[in-house]
Amino acid sequence: FQTARYGMGVLALLPQMGSSYTAVVRDGTYQGQRFTLPKALAEGFVLAVNRTENDDLLVRISKSAGMESQTEVRLVVQANGEVQQAIKLPISNASISFNITQEKLMTGINQLTLFTADNKPLAERLVFVQPKQVQTILESDKPEYATRDLIKLQFDNVANIVGGYSVAVVKADKVTLAEEKQLSIYANLLLSSDLKGNIEEPNYYFTGDYVNKAAELDALLLSQGWRRFNWTEVLAGNVPAPKHVAEQGLEINGKITSLLLGKPVAGAKIKLLAAK
């Protein structure tokens, strides 16, 4: 097997108990390096999620032969920190499959977590739902302009969707980075802000023909699972205290001292002047 652009990839493997598996790098900086894969567990559950032709999710839950006593599981779907669905599923057979329509999923990262009937976490899968593209038209009144010409732009929201829109104008010769290497509000809100760890060039997954990059984005989410919190601690009510106090507004803190002695000055009046 081989990796995609950023060193990630997906392959199917059915490990056998008692066997060891090692991945060997054939080229690049790590040529010849060997990585031992985790040992196969004696029993457990597998949560697999795949796309259908109409972009719905096909969810398949499988259990090993040693899990006959587990006759019910629960699937919780979250997005943006809110529970979207909580489904009780009887699982008397070795596996069950069902669809989740795209309309029931939120735009961006959706977190699917599988629990036992007594709320013990079994498996987790992150999936990404692309937002529906809004067709817009932005036209100028002339193809070329002279120095200091008045430029008139006509913006047309074809679908008449209410929202906040903005237009940025930059000099083309000043933009040296490729679009996929640039920072993007879009990629930040939908992807990098909701994942733990570094993401190389997050805007890459949203530029050009992003449909063909869906498999690469899926590989990213597969490698970034089980993030942010520990389910066992959360369900037990052991929520950690915030590391930083919540901001209530814009505050400026400081200390006024005299120039000569460096002692605090009581009752000092301060003026803040904005340069621009």
Side-chain angles (χ1 to χ4, degrees), residues 179 204 206-211 213:
E179 185 179 3
Y204 164 78
F206 304 98
T207 57
D209 186 6
Y210 66 83
V211 175
K213 297 177 181 178

Side-chain angles (χ1 to χ4, degrees), residues 167-217:
V167 177
V169 181
V170 298
K171 292 188 68 177
D173 59 348
K174 298 297 182 182
V175 180
T176 57
L177 284 177
E179 185 179 3
E180 60 195 37
K181 296 180 180 293
Q182 297 176 22
L183 299 177
S184 165
I185 295 177
Y186 190 84
N188 182 272
L189 290 177
L190 293 182
L191 184 64
S192 55
S193 64
D194 206 19
L195 288 180
K196 183 179 180 180
N198 179 57
I199 304 175
E200 295 180 72
E201 301 176 1
N203 205 39
Y204 164 78
Y205 301 100
F206 304 98
T207 57
D209 186 6
Y210 66 83
V211 175
N212 291 329
K213 297 177 181 178
E216 294 179 67
L217 180 55

Side-chain angles (χ1 to χ4, degrees), residues 2-97:
Q2 66 182 38
T3 60
R5 175 168 175 148
Y6 296 107
M8 293 173 288
V10 179
L11 74 152
L13 175 65
L14 182 60
Q16 302 299 317
M17 277 294 299
S19 297
S20 298
Y21 299 88
T22 304
V24 183
V25 181
R26 295 298 185 192
D27 53 18
T29 305
Y30 299 97
Q31 183 174 357
Q33 191 163 345
R34 305 170 69 87
F35 296 89
T36 302
L37 303 185
K39 297 286 186 181
L41 300 178
E43 57 186 23
F45 280 82
V46 173
L47 172 64
V49 181
N50 293 288
R51 299 277 183 182
T52 64
E53 291 183 357
N54 56 353
D55 276 342
D56 293 340
L57 297 184
L58 174 60
V59 181
R60 182 181 178 88
I61 301 171
S62 307
K63 66 178 181 178
S64 61
M67 305 294 288
E68 289 91 347
S69 60
Q70 298 287 344
T71 58
E72 181 184 282
V73 291
R74 298 175 181 179
L75 184 68
V76 176
V77 182
Q78 292 187 89
N80 298 326
E82 296 183 355
V83 175
Q84 306 298 319
Q85 296 183 64
I87 313 167
K88 289 185 178 181
L89 300 165
I91 181 167
S92 55
N93 299 324
S95 65
I96 57 173
S97 299

